[in-house]
Amino acid sequence: LQQRTAFLRRLTEDLFLAAKLEQKQVMLNEDRVSLGEVIAAVCDSCREEAEKKGVVLQAPPAPELPVWGDQIRLQQILQNLLTNAIHYTPAGGSITVNSRVEAGAALVSVRPEDQAAVFDRYFHTTTSSKHDSTGLGLTIAQELAHLHHGEILLESEVGKGSCFTLKLPLLPA
């Protein structure tokens, strides 16, 4: 009962946020943010969930990567990407989180399967995989990335997996 109540609470929160994003009613509390620190915090918070599922989470230390944004919302984007990767990575698998600078942008890649439809509301890659996803995480992550003048890129090859990359404008160091 507690597990189902928690899921319904998350679903309600996700639906509310998705509606606010659609209506352009989300305000960001923007400041200079170290994306490297955000990556470390999110990876630390997801490590236990990955270990419980038998998934190895690899996250080499990230450079500072200064960006302008809302630290809480940036954490939410990466949390959604990483949680999604954990849900769809089979036990014994691994997920790698890498960051880099490319052409004036900060890129954070979460590499662990389905293509463009993953950004559709309520999308799940398969019904045989049981987890408590609301199906809104990637939609919310993409909309929040857009609010930060960024985007989430998807590289996917059937049978080989997917790589989600958060791309944000980099600030001068």
Side-chain angles (χ1 to χ4, degrees), residues 53 55 81-91 95 112-114 118 122-127 129-131 133-135 138 164:
K53 188 170 179 201
V55 172
L81 293 178
L82 198 47
T83 300
N84 185 70
I86 292 167
H87 285 200
Y88 291 106
T89 300
I95 299 165
E113 186 167 302
D114 284 308
V118 297
Y122 316 115
F123 172 77
H124 294 281
T125 58
T126 176
T127 55
S129 171
K130 183 180 182 338
H131 54 77
S133 171
T134 63
L138 293 176
F164 294 87

Side-chain angles (χ1 to χ4, degrees), residues 35 38-39 42 74-82 108 166:
L35 201 51
V38 170
I39 294 166
V42 171
L74 290 170
Q75 286 177 344
Q76 186 174 14
I77 293 169
L78 289 174
Q79 180 92 27
N80 285 352
L81 293 178
L82 198 47
V108 181
L166 171 62

Side-chain angles (χ1 to χ4, degrees), residues 7-173:
F7 172 76
L8 288 173
R9 181 186 47 74
R10 280 193 315 276
L11 177 60
T12 303
E13 289 169 357
D14 283 355
L15 285 169
F16 183 66
L17 179 55
K20 286 180 76 170
L21 284 164
E22 192 173 296
Q23 298 297 317
K24 310 281 189 243
Q25 295 178 347
V26 173
M27 300 296 292
L28 299 179
N29 184 14
E30 294 178 296
D31 201 352
R32 185 181 180 96
V33 176
S34 168
L35 201 51
E37 290 178 13
V38 170
I39 294 166
V42 171
C43 287
D44 286 347
S45 73
C46 290
R47 199 167 305 283
E48 184 178 337
E49 181 182 356
E51 287 173 359
K52 279 183 184 176
K53 188 170 179 201
V55 172
V56 175
L57 178 56
Q58 302 169 4
E64 182 186 352
L65 299 173
V67 297
W68 189 255
D70 184 321
Q71 185 165 343
I72 300 298
R73 295 303 186 183
L74 290 170
Q75 286 177 344
Q76 186 174 14
I77 293 169
L78 289 174
Q79 180 92 27
N80 285 352
L81 293 178
L82 198 47
T83 300
N84 185 70
I86 292 167
H87 285 200
Y88 291 106
T89 300
S94 66
I95 299 165
T96 303
V97 179
N98 282 315
S99 58
R100 67 187 187 282
V101 173
E102 187 176 292
L107 293 114
V108 181
S109 298
V110 177
R111 183 175 297 278
E113 186 167 302
D114 284 308
Q115 283 120 47
V118 297
F119 290 112
D120 295 344
R121 275 189 192 177
Y122 316 115
F123 172 77
H124 294 281
T125 58
T126 176
T127 55
S128 65
S129 171
K130 183 180 182 338
H131 54 77
D132 283 340
S133 171
T134 63
L136 291 167
L138 293 176
T139 300
I140 289 169
Q142 181 74 288
E143 291 301 319
L144 288 172
H146 289 159
L147 282 177
H148 286 86
H149 307 288
E151 61 184 325
I152 297 176
L153 309 169
L154 170 64
E155 296 172 44
S156 184
E157 191 173 335
V158 177
K160 291 195 175 186
S162 302
C163 179
F164 294 87
T165 301
L166 171 62
K167 181 178 180 182
L168 296 170
L170 187 66
L171 291 177

